[in-house]
Amino acid sequence: MKKSTKKNQWQSYNLPNHLGYFGEYGGQFVAETLMPALNELEAAYKKIRSDSHFKKEFKRLLKDYVGRPSPLYEAARLSQKLGHRIFLKREDLNHTGAHKVNNTLGQILLALKMGKKRIIAETGAGQHGVATATMCARFGLSCEVYMGAEDVQRQAPNVFRMKLLGAKVIAVHSGTATLKDAMNEALRDWISNVSNTYYCIGTVAGPHPYPMMVRDFQKIIGEETKQQILKSMNRLPDYVMACVGGGSNAMGMFYPFIKDTQVKLMGVEAAGYGIRSGKHAAAIVGGRLGVLHGQKSYLLQDAEGQIIPTHSISAGLDYPGVGPELSYLADQGRVQIVSATDKEALEGFEMLSHLEGIIPALESSHSLGYLKKYAKKLKKNSVIVLNLSGRGDKDLNTVAKLQKISL
Ligand SMILES: *Cc1c(COP(=O)(O)O)cnc(C)c1O
């Protein structure tokens, strides 16, 4: 009886509700002055969501400019080594090298519809900043990217890329001078410039409607995967895995599979030096309910509710929060959240490079590291899809440094 109720719950899954909640997660925890902007954004998004011209333009540019559909590649040598049939969804082959561009394309098209000429964004590692700057160059929009001063130092190549693309990079010195501070600054900018400015958020976090909107722009990943696996295997996969920072590549991959309850969905968070060390970025595995950047979700915080400084070898996972929908799906048991340490991620990074000739992003390497460690514990001869969220070129310096090699 209980089982069938649960199943029905997923057959009719349709969140967020009209207030932007996924269960108790999400919402709009922002200054009163920002509410008109969020309402304007939500109304505009609802309009374009069912607009066939918009959908056509989005699909056309995903194809011609981003290079979609991305292949679903059966990794034969990796499969042989780990004893399953493993398929990689190649988001690393997208223009700009990761899944981020799916979302920035959607949001920039929306900004154009809304008549906003100035785009702002936050970025951590610089991947979302580069994807936003790319789309702004493509459409002739002005682009300003907020980035923690610490990250500006650590991610110099991406700062240079954004500048080449015509964007202005604003270094943020407050707090720990990292991603969360950049996002605070971007929200502040938006409050003072709502009339001409569009704020392009890079993951499924922030106040409603962002978590819903970013998920919708990213769900192309899971939609394609479903078609591709049905075509090659004539069945759905047993497991679908993705790494989790804010949660956008995971939600994009998982969303079209939510109703297919026979498919196990697994999200891999960054365990840094280990969950018990306290130096990690695993918000669901190691955090508590809290409010940050306009939303209620799992959050890494101390007893007083102060945000704890996070650590991960991969800058893209180094964020103290996570999107509300993943928090909800994890609580409800639809998505299983696990974690991989820096060391395990590096093992995954090396494994894929050697076995398949594909150098993965350190973010995606967390799923690979987890799979390497736990392949034997999964059901024998499983069909596994792993979302390869990005390519590893941006991480060469980080890995070289660890191997004491200077490039
Ligand atoms: C930004 C990034 C991530 C983490 O962000 P999500 O919103 O959790 O997807 C993962 N992989 C790559 C390659 C990234 O650039």
Side-chain angles (χ1 to χ4, degrees):
M1 186 63 202
K2 185 145 185 264
K3 204 164 181 187
S4 72
T5 340
K6 269 271 184 206
K7 202 166 177 189
N8 284 336
Q9 172 191 1
W10 301 118
Q11 295 317 311
S12 57
Y13 182 76
N14 185 26
L15 291 177
N17 68 14
H18 69 289
L19 295 171
Y21 279 91
F22 305 85
E24 62 178 314
Y25 305 105
Q28 295 179 310
F29 295 81
V30 296
E32 203 58 43
T33 42
L34 209 50
M35 283 311 293
L38 289 175
N39 291 336
E40 182 197 3
L41 178 63
E42 187 179 354
Y45 176 64
K46 283 195 168 144
K47 220 157 124 194
I48 60 103
R49 185 157 69 166
S50 49
D51 179 314
S52 59
H53 288 289
F54 183 92
K55 284 199 271 193
K56 221 167 133 189
E57 185 67 351
F58 183 49
K59 282 268 156 81
R60 185 180 74 82
L61 286 162
L62 280 177
K63 176 169 168 282
D64 297 344
Y65 191 70
V66 175
R68 302 202 73 91
S70 66
L72 183 70
Y73 161 72
E74 181 165 10
R77 296 189 69 217
L78 181 67
S79 296
Q80 196 178 26
K81 172 154 173 101
L82 298 183
H84 297 284
R85 290 194 75 169
I86 302 168
F87 292 78
L88 304 175
K89 181 58 173 165
R90 300 289 309 273
E91 292 300 298
D92 60 314
L93 294 178
N94 292 339
H95 179 43
T96 71
H99 67 290
K100 295 260 172 24
V101 69
N102 303 323
N103 166 49
T104 53
L105 171 61
Q107 288 201 56
I108 296 307
L109 287 178
L110 175 58
L112 286 167
K113 282 270 184 227
M114 294 173 75
K116 310 280 182 185
K117 296 282 192 298
R118 176 177 179 261
I119 308 297
I120 58 169
E122 84 294 335
T123 198
Q127 294 301 104
H128 174 59
V130 168
T132 307
T134 298
M135 284 304 160
C136 288
R138 168 65 183 74
F139 289 101
L141 297 169
S142 113
C143 180
E144 294 176 38
V145 180
Y146 286 93
M147 190 169 186
E150 196 64 39
D151 293 328
V152 169
Q153 291 287 327
R154 290 190 289 194
Q155 310 290 337
N158 271 343
V159 174
F160 186 53
R161 259 180 212 117
M162 287 184 264
K163 288 180 179 165
L164 284 174
L165 292 161
K168 184 176 162 195
V169 178
I170 304 166
V172 176
H173 295 273
S174 57
T176 49
T178 58
L179 176 58
K180 77 169 166 53
D181 311 291
M183 198 154 172
N184 285 335
E185 245 4 89
L187 279 163
R188 225 166 270 150
D189 178 318
W190 199 31
I191 290 175
S192 355
N193 301 293
V194 280
S195 62
N196 70 340
T197 299
Y198 182 95
Y199 178 21
C200 182
I201 294 186
T203 190
V204 285
H208 179 66
Y210 284 103
M212 166 180 77
M213 198 166 72
V214 177
R215 172 200 74 195
D216 291 349
F217 289 138
Q218 290 290 3
K219 73 181 180 195
I220 184 79
I221 302 173
E223 286 170 353
E224 284 176 7
T225 300
K226 206 168 180 175
Q227 282 187 3
Q228 289 165 321
I229 197 81
L230 284 172
K231 194 161 174 218
S232 62
M233 296 292 291
N234 207 17
R235 57 167 283 203
L236 291 176
D238 299 299
Y239 296 92
V240 173
M241 302 176 64
C243 62
V244 175
S248 69
N249 87 87
M251 274 318 307
M253 176 56 104
F254 295 165
Y255 187 66
F257 288 101
I258 286 179
K259 293 174 187 179
D260 305 303
T261 48
Q262 73 272 34
V263 179
K264 292 194 180 65
L265 307 175
M266 297 183 72
V268 186
E269 290 192 319
Y273 296 126
I275 299 294
R276 265 168 298 170
S277 74
K279 292 189 168 60
H280 61 80
I284 299 181
V285 170
R288 287 186 291 118
L289 190 58
V291 170
L292 179 69
H293 298 141
Q295 56 147 10
K296 195 193 268 185
S297 193
Y298 279 105
L299 191 59
L300 294 172
Q301 51 189 321
D302 64 18
E304 275 78 49
Q306 294 296 316
I307 307 300
I308 295 173
T310 50
H311 163 79
S312 169
I313 190 173
S314 77
L317 302 184
D318 206 350
Y319 177 65
V322 63
E325 190 167 20
L326 263 182
S327 291
Y328 173 76
L329 294 172
D331 271 7
Q332 296 290 314
R334 183 65 192 92
V335 173
Q336 187 191 350
I337 302 287
V338 295
S339 65
T341 62
D342 287 357
K343 192 164 162 284
E344 288 159 357
L346 279 167
E347 287 176 18
F349 180 88
E350 225 165 68
M351 176 178 69
L352 197 71
S353 304
H354 286 179
L355 288 178
E356 297 289 345
I358 299 169
I359 300 177
L362 279 174
E363 290 84 2
S364 331
S365 299
H366 283 72
S367 321
L368 290 159
Y370 179 85
L371 188 56
K372 177 171 183 272
K373 189 168 175 190
Y374 291 103
K376 286 204 181 73
K377 299 231 161 122
L378 303 180
K379 201 182 73 192
K380 254 202 158 130
N381 298 319
S382 289
V383 174
I384 301 170
V385 169
L386 189 147
N387 196 24
L388 202 65
S389 55
R391 64 177 182 225
D393 304 50
K394 66 183 178 60
D395 298 313
L396 296 186
N397 265 315
T398 307
V399 177
K401 227 184 199 165
L402 287 166
Q403 299 180 355
K404 306 214 171 4
I405 295 167
S406 70
L407 295 182

